[in-house]
Amino acid sequence: MADHSDRSRNRSVRSLSGRGPRSVAGQVFLLQAVVIVLLVAGAVLALVLQSLHDGEREAERRSVAAAEAFAHSPGIVAALKSPDPTKVLQPLTEEARRLAGVDFIVVMDTNGIRYTHPLPSRIGEKFVGNIQPSLAGHVHVESVHGPLGQEVQAVVPVNEHGGPVVGLVAAGLKVKSVSNGVERQLTVIFVSGAAALVLATGGAALVARRLRRQTHGLDPAQMTRMYEHHDAVLHAVREGVLIVGHDGRLLLANDEAERLLDLPPDALGRPVGELVGLDAATAELLTSGREATDEVYLAGDRMLVVNQRRTDNDGSHLGTVATMRDSTQLLALSGKMETVNERLRLLYDAGMGIGTTLDVTRTAEELAEMAVPRFADFVTVDLATPVLLGEEPTGTAADMRRTAVSGIRDDHPLYPRGRLISFLPSTPQARGFVTGRSVVVPDLSAAPGWHAQDPERTGNVVAYGIHSLLTTPLQARGVVLGLANFWRLREAGAFDEDDRSLAEELVARAAVSIDNARRYTREHALAVMLQRSLLPRALPEQNALDVAHRYLPAQSGVSGDWFDVIPLSGNRVALVVGDVVGHGLHAAATMGRLRTAVHNFSTLDLPPDELLGHLDDLVDRIDNEEGTAEGGVGVVGATCLYAIYDPVSRHCTMARAGHHLPALVHPDGSVDFPELPAGPPLGLGGMPFKTAELDLAVGSQLVLYTDGLIEDRTRDIDVGMELLRRALAHPGRSPEEHCRAVLDALLPAEATDDVALLVARTRALTADQIAEWDVPLDPVAVAGIRAAVVAKLDDWDLSELGFTTELILSELITNAIRYASPPVRVRLLRDRSLICEVSDGSSTSPHLSYAAATDEGGRGLFLVSQISEHWGTRYTPEGKVIWAQQPLPGPAPGAEGADPRLPS
């Protein structure tokens, strides 16, 4: 009865909401839309103004930096005093202009006569601009209309050994170049603003839609009218309705219930046990709170069939609702008791046999198999297509997929399994889907609406002997997921109203299981999508290792396994494999946080033990934060193995936090598991992590994996390790072949845990790719090192990088001689890029800073950062290494076509 009233209320809401005025949800949406537009417009305006201001400031900074760098470069005073300064300085200024990203660099004498200019025809002419502040030793920035158009330029004096001004250097950009940069930023700003507006407006629309759905679009008058209708229907039905509170007091009784039970006028609000004339068994049922279905009780000289259900609200038991009908005229009640018992057994068996798996299709098949032949001769289950995909149904009887078919014979003419069906509005199936109520068709031969669906097939169905249909919506949590169709042959008799209630009970149990399976399918798909988005989609390009990988999620749900390959400075590469205990979205999200943290810590060039220490602190903080939050579960456990391989020394450093030992495949095919110091899982704290160091031969393969590969409920972990050893003990295999062989040998048929596998074969830089020099602590030695470096670059056919490499090394070596301690060494590495490294015995790292206009120094590292692709500092047990990386002018060696068995 409660279910019927819910459906009636839904129909009343639909009938009223269509005639109501503008709802509150619509007004809220309009207000939100106006606020969003104003906020986005203000943000875009602020970004535009800021972009214009930043563009002008950046142009001035770049002009000053380029002019000062060239004015202070070695040899410029000598060039100014040479017989032909233009011949010496013109190519240098053009090269410096290209590297610094400015439009011109002009060198002139103290009278303003140009020695250089991007337009050779302008050489020898008077410089356009104010040079007086610069002749006085100051840096002067101005905007003028010069030979290239409107320009922003900086004029810097050239002093002879800190003495008088012997020349001037001007550098700058065209205002048009600055404007072009700003215009490119404006495009991004406007596109971003438009995207933000669309997203914010869409979010507001979703909020308004949810508000409209919750309030049903009704105003107070309409709600009052709806409940008046409900009250009229309640007292008009010829079935008694009682509502009893959790304290045993009578809360509601309609007119029919008062007549059947002979209730006194003051019955409402009184305890049920105190009502005079009420049968003791009936009173016991009404106060027990248990569910009852078609139970027979005496009330005076009447025999009542009582159904009782609990009224739950958000999981809290508020009382019970009982419906009763007079069945005094059922003289053959004893003959039906066996039928009732059989149906009760059917419902009990359905509760045990339906929903044994979290698979939508299998649950529908269990429903069909359970009802044949105990309730119907044939059963078909049609589900909305989105339900099979784990999504919400569309709410129409179109695009229904026949998911399950079961019957006493296989030669029936009903639609086969897998058929896509669109039920016409006249069919019982469509009416049941729309109303959410079961539809009984006692005689199919007299059902023209059903025949209109497919006249030829329906004629065959009737001719086959199927004559009665009961279609019941599969409804769970207020959503219709599909239909269960029960068919009977002539020999079994037609369906009646009693069959309807049994079918609804049977289908209601199955609908909850199907909805649970649908939700699981959706959550599983979301978790897999989340985890795959958090894992690396492609490995980075590098020549130190030849890498293959596999990731396989568990069938029961995704876990927190991950792997990574991270290029480090000095052509080194870090290999990472980790595992977060647990399954589902929480484990996948935690994995993403840990993987991001490993990336961030690796940029600091930390050794493996220190990196795991920082990761351990992070997991501990995550546990504390989520553990204190309401309902937080924290990180139950996480393991990690972190290894760094250096292709120059062929040295590998590893540390582990509760993870399994890696496997090492030697070039001859032998396999062992290097002993690494055992560290506790992440988040436990209290114990430091230790590293192990290995020297790996070229062609060795390092195999990292998670426990899902070797652990299984059917075998011991030692057996899994031995199987892994045997699968890897084959010389000459590539990493990709090893991945396939390992998964074929160890992966179970139904994996209960995720598997992450990473196989890396070592390479090494050859001697002709490395150059090293010891640097004496004498500034005079810098020139000799620069000359040696230029000669080596000529040998490597990298003369194009000579000028920038000299500038980088001049700054780094000079800083090491001035501020660091011995020994000072210079190393060049040629691989995918040219890497310049300067090492010393000091642990103090320089920092990039922006010198003021009046500062005489502090611009060296800024120049290094501008002309190199990447630069940074890493610490070693002996001190530190400052490195700078430049791209090669041609294809990187070993990038394509390299033999993975040979050094790169």
Side-chain angles (χ1 to χ4, degrees):
M1 183 63 187
D3 189 35
H4 293 174
S5 62
D6 287 345
R7 291 193 288 269
S8 299
R9 182 172 62 255
N10 290 338
R11 289 197 301 272
S12 299
V13 169
R14 286 195 294 270
S15 65
L16 291 173
S17 60
R19 299 190 298 272
R22 178 180 295 277
S23 64
V24 176
Q27 300 175 13
V28 170
F29 172 74
L30 291 177
L31 178 60
Q32 289 177 328
V34 172
V35 173
I36 289 169
V37 169
L38 293 177
L39 290 176
V40 172
V44 169
L45 178 61
L47 288 174
V48 168
L49 296 177
Q50 184 64 36
S51 178
L52 292 173
H53 178 270
D54 291 345
E56 294 176 358
R57 300 288 78 78
E58 178 62 20
E60 294 178 3
R61 287 194 293 269
R62 287 170 59 186
S63 300
V64 172
E68 288 189 337
F70 197 89
H72 299 156
S73 61
I76 187 169
V77 175
L80 288 171
K81 293 183 177 182
S82 64
D84 190 357
T86 298
K87 181 178 180 181
V88 176
L89 296 174
Q90 177 68 7
L92 294 178
T93 57
E94 288 304 294
E95 178 66 13
R97 177 178 66 85
R98 182 181 64 82
L99 294 175
V102 296
D103 290 329
F104 65 91
I105 295 180
V106 176
V107 181
M108 68 196 85
D109 61 10
T110 56
N111 295 319
I113 303 301
R114 302 189 186 101
Y115 289 143
T116 66
H117 197 275
L119 302 177
S121 61
R122 299 291 184 169
I123 297 175
E125 296 181 0
K126 185 75 172 181
F127 173 74
V128 178
N130 184 7
I131 64 174
Q132 295 305 318
S134 300
L135 291 176
H138 304 290
V139 176
H140 179 63
V141 180
E142 60 183 0
S143 176
V144 299
H145 186 79
L148 301 180
Q150 194 66 27
E151 304 165 348
V152 176
Q153 62 184 14
V155 184
V156 177
V158 179
N159 301 90
E160 182 179 7
H161 305 297
V165 177
V166 298
L168 302 173
V169 176
L173 291 90
K174 295 182 289 186
V175 173
K176 182 178 180 181
S177 300
V178 178
S179 301
N180 290 338
V182 173
E183 291 173 358
R184 288 191 295 270
Q185 296 178 11
L186 292 181
T187 302
V188 175
I189 291 173
F190 284 119
V191 171
S192 301
L197 178 60
V198 171
L199 291 175
T201 306
L206 292 176
V207 172
R209 180 180 178 183
R210 177 163 184 159
L211 180 60
R212 184 182 299 109
R213 184 169 61 251
Q214 292 178 343
T215 60
H216 301 290
L218 297 178
D219 60 20
Q222 292 172 337
M223 294 182 67
T224 301
R225 190 184 319 132
M226 180 183 67
Y227 283 106
E228 289 174 351
H229 293 169
H230 287 182
D231 188 67
V233 172
L234 177 67
H235 293 285
V237 295
R238 302 309 300 170
E239 189 170 35
V241 179
L242 293 174
I243 296 180
V244 179
H246 64 87
D247 56 354
R249 295 182 180 274
L250 183 63
L251 302 180
L252 181 144
N254 68 347
D255 296 340
E256 182 67 8
E258 292 176 356
R259 184 185 70 82
L260 293 175
L261 300 177
D262 293 329
L263 296 177
D266 60 343
L268 294 183
R270 293 173 57 185
V272 174
E274 297 179 1
L275 297 178
V276 180
L278 191 62
D279 183 76
T282 306
E284 189 276 333
L285 170 67
L286 296 177
T287 56
S288 65
R290 66 179 178 87
E291 294 187 359
T293 301
D294 290 339
E295 296 186 8
V296 180
Y297 291 87
L298 290 175
D301 57 351
R302 299 186 180 94
M303 299 184 67
L304 303 180
V305 176
V306 181
N307 290 273
Q308 182 167 275
R309 296 291 182 272
R310 288 185 296 182
T311 57
D312 295 335
N313 184 14
D314 297 331
S316 59
H317 179 52
L318 302 180
T320 58
V321 56
T323 62
M324 53 191 65
R325 60 180 181 272
D326 190 355
S327 58
T328 307
Q329 298 178 359
L330 299 178
L331 302 178
L333 184 60
S334 59
K336 290 191 174 182
M337 290 301 296
E338 182 61 29
T339 303
V340 172
N341 291 334
E342 175 60 28
R343 292 182 175 184
L344 289 175
R345 285 193 293 269
L346 174 60
L347 292 176
Y348 175 80
D349 294 341
M352 300 297 295
I354 298 177
T356 59
T357 66
L358 287 174
D359 182 82
V360 174
T361 302
R362 180 56 194 153
T363 304
E365 293 172 348
E366 291 172 346
L367 169 62
E369 295 167 358
M370 184 63 64
V372 175
R374 300 167 66 178
F375 181 67
D377 297 314
F378 299 93
V379 176
T380 59
V381 179
D382 306 321
L383 296 179
T385 302
V387 173
L388 297 172
L389 303 176
E391 303 172 358
E392 294 285 345
T394 58
T396 65
D399 296 335
M400 303 286 289
R401 182 75 63 179
R402 179 137 293 178
T403 308
V405 178
S406 181
I408 59 176
R409 299 205 299 264
D410 297 332
D411 59 345
H412 58 80
L414 299 172
Y415 284 126
R417 177 182 174 182
R419 176 72 176 266
L420 186 64
I421 308 172
S422 294
F423 291 107
L424 297 178
S426 61
T427 60
Q429 289 89 344
R431 296 200 306 271
F433 193 96
V434 171
T435 62
R437 299 185 60 188
S438 300
V439 177
V440 178
V441 184
D443 187 1
L444 288 174
S445 61
W450 175 72
H451 283 280
Q453 175 72 29
D454 188 343
E456 181 179 356
R457 184 175 292 274
T458 54
N460 295 334
V461 170
V462 173
Y464 184 79
I466 298 176
H467 77 110
S468 183
L469 166 66
L470 171 57
T471 180
T472 303
L474 284 157
Q475 187 171 357
R477 301 178 178 93
V479 178
V480 179
L481 309 174
L483 298 165
N485 304 296
F486 303 93
W487 313 81
R488 280 184 182 173
L489 297 172
R490 293 188 180 92
E491 295 79 5
F495 288 107
D496 55 23
E497 291 300 320
D498 292 338
D499 294 322
R500 181 208 295 267
S501 61
L502 175 61
E504 290 177 348
E505 287 286 340
L506 183 65
V507 170
R509 300 172 185 237
V512 173
S513 299
I514 290 176
D515 191 54
N516 290 337
R518 176 188 67 84
R519 291 169 179 263
Y520 170 79
T521 301
R522 179 184 61 189
E523 292 179 1
H524 179 71
L526 290 175
V528 170
M529 183 185 304
L530 171 63
Q531 186 172 41
R532 291 198 178 278
S533 68
L534 295 176
L535 289 172
R537 301 187 179 182
L539 297 182
E541 295 182 356
Q542 46 81 31
N543 282 346
L545 296 168
D546 183 16
V547 181
H549 62 91
R550 290 290 189 277
Y551 171 75
L552 298 175
Q555 293 184 358
S556 59
V558 298
S559 182
D561 293 15
W562 91 92
F563 65 90
D564 226 327
V565 179
I566 307 172
L568 303 177
S569 63
N571 273 25
R572 300 171 305 133
V573 176
L575 300 176
V576 191
V577 168
D579 183 8
V580 176
V581 176
H583 293 80
L585 291 175
H586 182 267
T590 302
M591 175 272 291
R593 297 173 71 176
L594 296 184
R595 178 171 177 257
T596 302
V598 170
H599 267 273
N600 293 335
F601 292 145
S602 66
T603 59
L604 303 177
D605 266 318
L606 299 176
D609 55 341
E610 293 186 21
L611 185 141
L612 291 181
H614 288 294
L615 203 61
D616 181 69
D617 294 338
L618 173 64
V619 173
D620 184 60
R621 288 196 299 272
I622 294 176
D623 276 332
N624 292 334
E625 292 172 0
E626 296 189 358
T628 55
E630 183 177 354
V633 296
V635 181
V636 178
T639 66
C640 183
L641 190 150
Y642 187 82
I644 298 177
Y645 173 70
D646 187 349
V648 178
S649 62
R650 295 182 290 103
H651 196 66
C652 184
T653 306
M654 291 182 283
R656 63 183 178 129
H659 206 80
H660 290 288
L661 293 173
L664 179 61
V665 184
H666 297 278
D668 60 358
S670 61
V671 180
D672 58 38
F673 296 90
E675 285 296 333
L676 303 183
L682 298 175
L684 297 184
M687 293 182 62
F689 298 97
K690 297 181 181 180
T691 61
E693 300 182 354
L694 301 174
D695 289 323
L696 304 181
V698 175
S700 301
Q701 299 192 40
L702 195 61
V703 182
L704 311 182
Y705 53 90
T706 55
D707 54 5
L709 182 67
I710 60 174
E711 294 184 6
D712 188 68
R713 288 175 292 184
T714 61
R715 64 173 181 243
D716 189 71
I717 186 172
D718 294 333
V719 177
M721 298 285 284
E722 183 60 28
L723 290 175
L724 178 61
R725 182 197 303 274
R726 294 176 184 175
L728 294 172
H730 294 275
R733 276 184 182 169
S734 67
E736 187 67 28
E737 292 170 339
H738 270 313
C739 282
R740 289 196 294 266
V742 167
L743 293 182
D744 292 341
L746 280 86
L747 199 65
E750 293 185 0
T752 58
D753 196 6
D754 289 15
V755 174
L757 176 63
L758 193 64
V759 182
R761 181 167 53 193
T762 61
R763 297 177 177 177
L765 295 184
T766 58
D768 62 347
Q769 294 177 277
I770 306 171
E772 294 184 283
W773 297 271
D774 290 323
V775 181
L777 289 181
D778 187 354
V780 178
V782 177
I785 297 298
R786 288 206 310 264
V789 168
V790 171
K792 176 55 69 175
L793 293 180
D794 292 338
D795 293 341
W796 286 345
D797 294 330
L798 297 177
S799 301
E800 297 181 31
L801 300 179
F803 179 72
T804 56
T805 305
E806 282 190 90
L807 289 178
I808 292 172
L809 288 178
S810 295
E811 173 60 26
L812 299 184
I813 296 174
T814 302
N815 281 345
I817 292 175
R818 286 181 178 177
Y819 307 114
S821 57
V824 178
R825 293 182 59 83
V826 173
R827 184 172 73 168
L828 294 184
L829 302 177
R830 176 178 62 88
D831 190 39
R832 288 182 174 270
S833 59
L834 179 64
I835 300 176
C836 305
E837 295 183 345
V838 176
S839 61
D840 57 63
S842 171
S843 60
T844 303
S845 176
H847 296 281
L848 178 66
S849 60
Y850 294 93
T854 57
D855 292 343
E856 296 185 2
R859 301 175 179 85
L861 284 181
F862 176 78
L863 182 61
V864 170
S865 68
Q866 293 297 308
I867 63 180
S868 62
E869 185 179 34
H870 301 290
W871 77 282
T873 304
R874 70 173 182 269
Y875 294 95
T876 66
E878 296 79 18
K880 68 174 183 297
V881 176
I882 303 178
W883 55 271
Q885 179 177 313
Q886 302 178 78
L888 299 183
E896 295 182 0
D899 187 345
R901 295 170 295 180
L902 300 176
S904 62

